[in-house]
Amino acid sequence: MAAYALFNQAIADHLGLYPTDVQCLNLLTLESGPLTTGRIAELTGLTSGSATRLVDRLEKAGYVTRRRDSSDRRRVLVEPVPEATRRLGELWARLGEGWQTLLVGYSDAELAFLARHMRRTTELAARQVGLLREMGRAG
């Protein structure tokens, strides 16, 4: 986990962003459409104020835009800028070559095990985050 945190920090440094900003960009590119700042707060675990500041930074850096929801003018939607998403995708593709090389020596059964382990680890982490948030609310 420490190695991943350092890797994420290096990517953020390369892009001139914070690690949380990079994770938010990743989440935005995985979603099927634009998100509200409130939904970004839910996905990242940030407070609404912190999520707003995160979106402000991403907008200033040219990674996202904000627009009013046409069906509910009170809602503001955040969406990635296509050109910025393309550049981010190119960076991931370049870095992905190393990950592909790492995985090439594994059998299909080993890859299935690794995928299952990563999925279970992600699910457990989500449950643990929920538990920590509940503990924080309980004081």
Side-chain angles (χ1 to χ4, degrees):
M1 287 193 293
Y4 177 76
L6 292 171
F7 174 69
N8 192 53
Q9 181 66 58
I11 291 172
D13 291 344
H14 179 80
L15 297 173
L17 299 171
Y18 293 98
T20 308
D21 300 355
V22 173
Q23 294 306 311
C24 180
L25 283 173
N26 288 332
L27 290 169
L28 284 169
T29 60
L30 293 174
E31 293 295 315
S32 60
L35 301 175
T36 64
T37 303
R39 179 67 178 140
I40 290 170
E42 290 173 19
L43 290 171
T44 58
L46 296 172
T47 64
S48 60
S50 293
T52 297
R53 287 187 294 280
L54 182 151
V55 171
D56 289 344
R57 288 192 305 270
L58 290 176
E59 185 176 41
K60 184 177 179 183
Y63 286 96
V64 301
T65 58
R66 286 180 169 116
R67 67 175 170 83
R68 293 268 176 212
D69 186 341
S70 59
S71 61
D72 182 350
R73 302 290 295 160
R74 295 169 296 177
R75 288 176 23 133
V76 175
L77 301 174
V78 178
E79 54 193 343
V81 172
E83 175 62 21
T85 301
R86 186 189 61 73
R87 286 192 318 267
L88 188 59
E90 288 172 356
L91 175 62
W92 282 120
R94 185 171 178 201
L95 295 171
E97 292 172 15
W99 297 109
Q100 291 297 323
T101 301
L102 176 75
L103 296 173
V104 89
Y106 290 104
S107 70
D108 288 346
E110 289 170 321
L111 288 172
F113 168 77
L114 289 171
R116 191 170 57 253
H117 173 73
M118 289 170 36
R119 188 173 31 262
R120 292 177 68 199
T121 300
T122 301
E123 291 166 355
L124 175 60
R127 288 193 304 272
Q128 298 294 55
V129 166
L131 177 62
L132 286 167
R133 288 183 182 150
E134 287 176 22
M135 290 168 55
R137 284 191 292 268

